[in-house]
Amino acid sequence: MNEDIKFFIEISTFVLALVAAFVALIEFRSNNRIKRAEFLEKLIVEFHDSKIEVARALLDDFVYVAKHNRILSNVEQLEVSKTLATYLRHHKQEPITTIEEINVRESFDHLLDFFTKLSYYLKQQLITPAELSYFKYYLIKIKNKPEVIEYIKNYYYLDDFLLLIKAIR
């Protein structure tokens, strides 16, 4: 009888340990999802930073007009506006001299630095391809803008962006 009690206690302890491990695993996964959601939320907030606003607008085919030209009529604003290729040209082709050119390029630099960071996170498996879906629209916009791709080739690593584009397919 003593052996039966000892056996029952051993089995009970084993089952209890299994249940505790299972509960711990479920809790870990739940906490991990919460942490991942917080991490992704920070990325989304960073993506909507005002420093990136001009680049996002130009990718959406809006026209960038310097503040001093915003008093002009819409037609006049279109006449004085520049193409995206002009803003993103290689600095050796023609020097970047105006404040509006510098503002546009800085905005694109912030955007492209952000996507470079996403590429790094993807390589390190800190984010998954599925978690890139929020940014897919702008990754496709970049892919379809030859002037942006040329800017990336000149000033960034194209492979980082190709990795992101491949991951969102």
Side-chain angles (χ1 to χ4, degrees), residues 84-97:
L84 187 55
T86 301
Y87 289 122
L88 299 182
R89 71 186 178 275
H90 196 286
H91 68 278
K92 290 181 180 176
Q93 175 187 348
E94 181 183 336
I96 310 305
T97 57

Side-chain angles (χ1 to χ4, degrees), residues 55-68:
R56 285 193 323 266
L58 286 168
L59 287 172
D60 283 332
D61 299 318
F62 285 91
V63 174
Y64 179 75
V65 179
K67 286 183 182 179
H68 65 275

Side-chain angles (χ1 to χ4, degrees), residues 29-44 121-122 124-131:
R29 291 184 71 190
S30 175
N31 288 337
N32 192 32
R33 284 187 191 153
I34 291 168
K35 289 290 183 190
R36 287 186 80 73
E38 290 170 356
F39 176 70
L40 292 172
E41 181 63 28
K42 287 179 184 177
L43 288 175
I44 290 168
Y121 289 159
L122 186 63
Q124 299 303 314
Q125 299 178 341
L126 297 173
I127 58 174
T128 65
E131 292 167 334

Side-chain angles (χ1 to χ4, degrees), residues 11-163:
I11 294 294
S12 298
T13 304
F14 178 73
V15 169
L16 189 59
L18 279 177
V19 169
F22 183 70
V23 169
L25 179 63
I26 290 172
E27 192 67 28
F28 172 77
R29 291 184 71 190
S30 175
N31 288 337
N32 192 32
R33 284 187 191 153
I34 291 168
K35 289 290 183 190
R36 287 186 80 73
E38 290 170 356
F39 176 70
L40 292 172
E41 181 63 28
K42 287 179 184 177
L43 288 175
I44 290 168
V45 168
E46 182 181 348
F47 182 70
H48 287 286
D49 188 288
S50 61
K51 294 175 185 175
I52 298 175
E53 185 176 345
V54 171
R56 285 193 323 266
L58 286 168
L59 287 172
D60 283 332
D61 299 318
F62 285 91
V63 174
Y64 179 75
V65 179
K67 286 183 182 179
H68 65 275
N69 285 332
R70 293 182 187 162
I71 59 170
L72 302 173
S73 72
N74 290 346
V75 173
E76 292 171 317
Q77 286 183 28
L78 281 173
E79 288 172 0
V80 298
S81 67
K82 297 178 183 176
T83 65
L84 187 55
T86 301
Y87 289 122
L88 299 182
R89 71 186 178 275
H90 196 286
H91 68 278
K92 290 181 180 176
Q93 175 187 348
E94 181 183 336
I96 310 305
T97 57
T98 69
I99 292 296
E100 89 182 295
E101 290 173 332
I102 292 168
N103 289 342
V104 168
R105 290 170 73 95
E106 281 181 353
S107 185
F108 268 93
D109 287 340
H110 287 291
L111 177 69
L112 298 174
D113 287 343
F114 175 80
F115 282 129
T116 299
K117 184 180 356 180
L118 286 185
S119 178
Y120 171 78
Y121 289 159
L122 186 63
K123 288 177 201 171
Q124 299 303 314
Q125 299 178 341
L126 297 173
I127 58 174
T128 65
E131 292 167 334
L132 292 172
S133 64
Y134 186 86
F135 311 104
K136 184 176 183 175
Y137 173 81
Y138 284 100
L139 288 167
I140 291 170
K141 284 289 203 174
I142 287 171
K143 175 185 160 212
N144 293 329
K145 298 272 187 193
E147 54 271 62
V148 179
I149 295 298
E150 192 60 32
Y151 187 77
I152 291 169
K153 287 178 184 177
N154 289 330
Y155 299 103
Y156 291 86
Y157 295 107
L158 184 60
D159 289 346
D160 290 336
F161 295 91
L162 295 177
L163 176 71

